[in-house]
Every structure is written in structure tokens, then in C-alpha cells.
């Protein structure tokens, strides 16, 4: 037997209100608004970059570099220099090493990336366990989108704008490089 129609409509209306409340509730907190804004800002350059990484066949690169920056971050922390500089140098050196080894060896780029980035991550973890500090370096390793502060937004916004602008202005050059890469790859294989 079905319940009366008035009972169904009132429970359905209450359910709709509850669903809207769940969606709106997080945006009552400033840290959630900051996390949402940063997610939107970061999504633009990462989406643009991912297209070229997929075309080049380096789908693993983004995930791998996120692990390869750990030793640079740890060394920068030990030397008391900005962590961004250490992360950049470590990630760039690992990407350059990947390109060099894959061009001068018979191994595929994904294999070289897997070995190098795992090695870099291992070195970073060894450094991580030897550093004694009151600061939670876990947030650096795993990230903390909800803990982004205004001074970090002042770094993220210009970097995202710069990267997005370069990709938007030079996309034809990147595409030309992709075509050159594919043509040389077919000749070499």
C-alpha cells in the first residue's frame, strides 16, 4: 500500500532542501572558498599542459614529477631556501635526465620515468626521515588544499597566469614540436 500523496511530496521537498544545504554548506567557510578558487586557477594551466603531455606520450610525467620533487623540497628545507626553488630544480633535473636517458638508451620513456622518479622519491623519503622538525612535512608530501594561505595564493596566481599565457601564445610552436617528435620517432622505430 502506498502512503498518501501529501506525505510523499513533503518528504521529497525536505530531501531537496537537504541536498541543497549539503552543496552550499562548505562555502560558508573561507578556507573552502580559497580551496575552490585555487582549484579553478590551477585547473587551467594543468589542463592546457596535459594535452601536450598526452600527445608526447608522457602521461606518467605529471604524477612522476610530483614524486620527484620531494628530494628538492627536503634539501631546500635543510638549506633554509624557498621550497619552490628546490622543487623546481629537482623536478627539472629529473625531467631532463629522463629525456637524456630515453634518447640515449633502448628503454621507453615511461620505463625510464618510472625508474628515475621512484629513485628520486626514495632519496626524498630517506631525507624526510632524517630531518627532525616540528613542522608537518606531510603536508608538503601529500598536499593540503584546504590549508592554502593568502601568501601562497600570491605565488600560485602569477605562476598559473604565466604558464597559461605561454601555452596560449605559443601553442602552435608546441604543436609543431609534437609533429617533429612524431616524425622523428617513426623514423627511429
Amino acid at each position: 500500500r502506498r502512503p498518501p500523496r501529501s506525505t510523499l511530496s513533503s518528504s521529497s521537498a525536505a530531501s531537496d532542501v537537504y541536498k541543497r544545504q549539503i552543496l552550499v554548506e562548505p562555502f560558508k567557510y573561507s578556507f573552502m572558498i580559497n580551496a575552490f578558487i585555487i582549484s579553478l586557477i590551477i585547473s587551467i594551466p594543468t589542463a592546457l599542459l596535459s594535452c601536450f603531455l598526452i600527445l608526447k606520450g608522457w602521461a606518467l610525467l605529471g604524477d612522476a614529477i610530483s614524486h620527484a620533487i620531494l628530494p628538492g623540497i627536503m634539501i631546500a628545507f635543510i638549506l633554509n631556501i624557498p621550497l619552490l626553488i628546490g622543487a623546481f630544480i629537482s623536478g627539472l633535473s629529473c625531467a631532463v635526465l629522463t629525456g637524456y636517458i630515453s634518447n640515449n638508451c633502448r628503454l621507453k620513456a615511461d620505463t625510464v620515468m618510472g625508474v628515475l622518479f621512484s629513485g628520486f622519491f626514495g632519496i626524498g623519503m630517506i631525507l624526510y626521515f632524517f630531518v627532525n622538525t616540528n613542522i608537518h612535512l606531510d603536508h608538503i608530501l601529500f598536499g593540503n588544499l584546504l590549508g592554502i594561505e593568502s601568501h601562497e595564493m600570491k605565488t600560485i596566481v602569477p605562476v598559473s597566469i604565466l604558464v597559461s599565457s605561454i601555452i596560449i601564445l605559443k601553442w602552435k610552436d608546441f604543436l609543431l614540436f609534437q609533429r617533429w617528435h612524431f616524425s622523428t620517432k617513426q623514423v627511429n622505430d
Side-chain angles (χ1 to χ4, degrees), residues 149-189:
E149 298 172 7
S150 61
H151 73 277
E152 293 168 322
M153 288 182 80
K154 291 177 184 173
T155 303
I156 292 169
V157 171
V159 169
S160 294
I161 290 171
L162 177 70
V163 170
S164 298
S165 300
I166 290 171
I167 293 171
I168 290 169
L169 293 173
K170 296 290 189 177
W171 71 272
K172 287 183 181 179
D173 295 334
F174 290 132
L175 200 57
L176 181 65
F177 175 74
Q178 296 299 331
R179 288 184 184 149
W180 172 81
H181 173 73
F182 284 130
S183 66
T184 58
K185 193 171 187 172
Q186 288 173 354
V187 170
N188 291 335
D189 290 342

Side-chain angles (χ1 to χ4, degrees), residues 1 8 20 29 40 70 75-76 89 101 105 107 130 141 147 169 171 174-175 181 183:
R1 187 172 169 211
L8 282 176
R20 281 190 219 115
Y29 304 103
L40 285 175
L70 186 60
I75 291 170
I89 291 171
I101 292 172
C105 188
L107 296 173
F130 283 118
L141 180 60
L169 293 173
W171 71 272
F174 290 132
L175 200 57
H181 173 73
S183 66

Side-chain angles (χ1 to χ4, degrees), residues 92-176:
L92 183 65
S93 64
C94 204
V96 168
L97 271 172
T98 299
Y100 177 78
I101 292 172
S102 63
N103 286 337
N104 295 314
C105 188
R106 290 184 153 182
L107 296 173
K108 289 185 176 181
D110 284 347
T111 306
V112 175
M113 270 188 257
V115 170
L116 275 179
F117 295 134
S118 298
F120 269 63
F121 185 70
I123 292 168
M125 288 304 292
I126 290 169
L127 291 171
Y128 175 77
F129 287 115
F130 283 118
V131 172
N132 293 325
T133 180
N134 292 335
I135 299 172
H136 288 283
L137 296 173
D138 295 339
H139 295 296
I140 295 168
L141 180 60
F142 299 114
N144 187 3
L145 188 61
L146 297 177
I148 290 184
E149 298 172 7
S150 61
H151 73 277
E152 293 168 322
M153 288 182 80
K154 291 177 184 173
T155 303
I156 292 169
V157 171
V159 169
S160 294
I161 290 171
L162 177 70
V163 170
S164 298
S165 300
I166 290 171
I167 293 171
I168 290 169
L169 293 173
K170 296 290 189 177
W171 71 272
K172 287 183 181 179
D173 295 334
F174 290 132
L175 200 57
L176 181 65

Side-chain angles (χ1 to χ4, degrees), residues 10-141:
S10 65
S11 69
S12 175
S15 174
D16 288 343
V17 169
Y18 180 71
K19 288 177 185 175
R20 281 190 219 115
Q21 197 173 22
I22 287 176
L23 292 174
V24 173
E25 183 72 28
F27 294 103
K28 292 181 180 177
Y29 304 103
S30 63
F31 67 90
M32 286 297 290
I33 293 171
N34 282 347
F36 185 72
I37 290 170
I38 279 299
S39 297
L40 285 175
I41 291 169
I42 290 175
S43 68
I44 296 167
T46 54
L48 293 170
L49 279 171
S50 67
C51 296
F52 295 106
L53 291 177
I54 295 295
L55 282 174
K56 187 153 175 61
W58 283 12
L60 178 65
L61 188 65
D63 182 44
I65 285 186
S66 67
H67 290 81
I69 63 172
L70 186 60
I73 288 173
M74 296 309 302
I75 291 170
F77 182 79
I78 292 168
L79 298 176
N80 200 22
I81 60 175
L83 302 180
L84 184 64
I85 293 171
F88 179 77
I89 291 171
S90 181
L92 183 65
S93 64
C94 204
V96 168
L97 271 172
T98 299
Y100 177 78
I101 292 172
S102 63
N103 286 337
N104 295 314
C105 188
R106 290 184 153 182
L107 296 173
K108 289 185 176 181
D110 284 347
T111 306
V112 175
M113 270 188 257
V115 170
L116 275 179
F117 295 134
S118 298
F120 269 63
F121 185 70
I123 292 168
M125 288 304 292
I126 290 169
L127 291 171
Y128 175 77
F129 287 115
F130 283 118
V131 172
N132 293 325
T133 180
N134 292 335
I135 299 172
H136 288 283
L137 296 173
D138 295 339
H139 295 296
I140 295 168
L141 180 60

